Amino acid sequence: MLAGWSSWAQQDSQYTMYMYNTININPAYAGSRGVLSLFGLHRSQWVGLDGAPVTNAASLNTPIGESNLGLGLSFVNDRIGPTTENQISADISYTIRTDEIHKLSFGIKGTANIFSLDRNKLTPQEASDPSLQSVRNDFSPNIGAGVYWHTDKYYIGLSVPNFIETDHWAENDRAINTERMNYYLIGGYVFELNPMWKLKPAVLAKAVTGAPLQMDVSLNTLFDDRFMLGAAYRWDAAVSFMAGFQITQGLFLGYGYDLETTRLRNYNSGSHEIFLRYEFFSNKNKIISPRFF
């Protein structure tokens, strides 16, 4: 009649348009676009559901001069129910050219993580529960790595953003959250149907201990190197729709919407994601046809 079990819910922040936010999941991506790239994103997940995840992310990545090195910096604020997690990460990558068209990049990510739990947002059955009387802000460092093999037409990447599995503790030495390693595999290919149309299928596989394998499959089209439309399916979880517009040569605006396919759809009105990316082009690295990833 007595049983015990453990479970893990969503851990790393979830993104519908991860293909435009690759630096957050794979440090080897840093500098791969060849220009200084600034990125900002807001995601409201499961709108209408009390305590649903809200994510804000900002990042920059750039090649370092004429070297093979790339640098990335990122900040992620993730709020889920009574918990808040802030992550500041620094990435460095090194790229080698394996032949005339292929490049292989290796990356390392260092992260400072601050986790907090607001007990005032909880409604415990017993107000005097000793495990909720004193909850501290918990700081933990972490390190991750990734590889990224790419050309101008296709890419594949494998990464683990956080190698250290961390327990976050209350001041009375009770664990309130445990972070597990997340494994990411990404890949995509750009088909140039004609000078005006490009088609890019892409996939992301995410694995974490204690949770089912997550698989995102997407198909995006790019018209005239300016207008993007796409759709995606998150296996056994959601259907997504995406749109984007290259406002100027450097400024790109994107929007994504998730429609749940589980019973959770009865309790929320979907998830919204919006981002802005700005890239600084000089006369030296100015390109006529922007890369699709």
Side-chain angles (χ1 to χ4, degrees):
M1 296 177 62
L2 301 177
W5 65 91
S6 297
S7 64
W8 292 269
Q10 178 175 325
Q11 292 210 325
D12 282 3
S13 302
Q14 181 169 277
Y15 304 102
T16 295
M17 293 183 287
Y18 65 88
M19 65 286 292
Y20 297 99
N21 191 31
T22 308
I23 189 67
N24 274 346
I25 62 174
N26 193 331
Y29 187 81
S32 66
R33 289 184 62 81
V35 296
L36 171 60
S37 181
L38 302 180
F39 183 89
L41 175 144
H42 172 80
R43 176 178 174 85
S44 293
Q45 188 168 323
W46 302 330
V47 173
L49 187 66
D50 189 30
V54 176
T55 301
N56 293 290
S59 66
L60 69 84
N61 75 93
T62 182
I64 302 177
E66 299 298 321
S67 70
N68 294 327
L69 295 172
L71 177 67
L73 295 171
S74 60
F75 171 77
V76 177
N77 170 264
D78 207 17
R79 303 193 305 273
I80 304 178
T83 67
T84 299
E85 193 166 10
N86 292 302
Q87 294 181 342
I88 301 174
S89 301
D91 309 284
I92 189 165
S93 69
Y94 183 80
T95 299
I96 58 176
R97 186 177 290 275
T98 57
D99 58 33
E100 291 184 358
I101 63 171
H102 294 89
K103 295 180 180 179
L104 181 62
S105 301
F106 302 88
I108 297 175
K109 177 185 290 288
T111 300
N113 184 298
I114 301 174
F115 175 89
S116 63
L117 181 137
D118 185 355
R119 61 181 179 177
N120 295 320
K121 294 182 179 179
L122 299 174
T123 54
Q125 188 173 4
E126 296 182 17
S128 60
D129 188 337
S131 65
L132 299 175
Q133 295 310 298
S134 184
V135 179
R136 65 171 180 246
N137 289 343
D138 196 27
F139 169 81
S140 59
N142 219 311
I143 189 169
V147 294
Y148 185 66
W149 185 67
H150 59 101
T151 71
D152 289 339
K153 293 292 186 183
Y154 53 88
Y155 64 92
I156 186 169
L158 178 65
S159 60
V160 180
N162 297 303
F163 281 121
I164 303 173
E165 297 190 336
T166 304
D167 291 326
H168 297 294
W169 301 87
E171 290 183 359
N172 53 14
D173 293 330
R174 294 173 184 265
I176 55 177
N177 184 56
T178 300
E179 293 186 4
R180 302 294 183 184
M181 282 197 296
N182 289 255
Y183 302 84
Y184 291 90
L185 176 66
I186 60 173
Y189 193 99
V190 178
F191 296 93
E192 189 165 343
L193 304 180
N194 58 53
M196 296 293 289
W197 284 98
K198 292 183 176 71
L199 184 69
K200 188 190 76 172
V203 63
L204 175 147
K206 175 184 174 183
V208 58
T209 304
L213 177 68
Q214 178 182 308
M215 184 76 70
D216 286 40
V217 180
S218 64
L219 185 65
N220 289 348
T221 62
L222 184 66
F223 175 71
D224 194 29
D225 290 324
R226 295 178 65 85
F227 303 95
M228 183 274 291
L229 287 175
Y233 177 66
R234 184 171 300 121
W235 190 263
D236 201 26
V239 174
S240 305
F241 304 94
M242 296 169 282
F245 178 59
Q246 192 78 41
I247 301 172
T248 66
Q249 184 191 27
L251 185 62
F252 186 84
L253 171 68
Y255 170 78
Y257 175 76
D258 294 353
L259 181 65
E260 291 294 313
T261 58
T262 68
R263 285 182 293 177
L264 194 61
R265 66 179 180 271
N266 298 321
Y267 308 98
N268 73 90
S269 58
S271 303
H272 301 269
E273 191 171 298
I274 187 168
F275 76 84
L276 276 172
R277 182 183 68 195
Y278 189 81
E279 296 182 312
F280 295 84
F281 294 94
S282 65
N283 291 332
K284 185 175 181 179
N285 57 30
K286 186 177 181 180
I287 55 176
I288 298 174
S289 187
R291 215 178 69 192
F292 201 4
F293 56 89

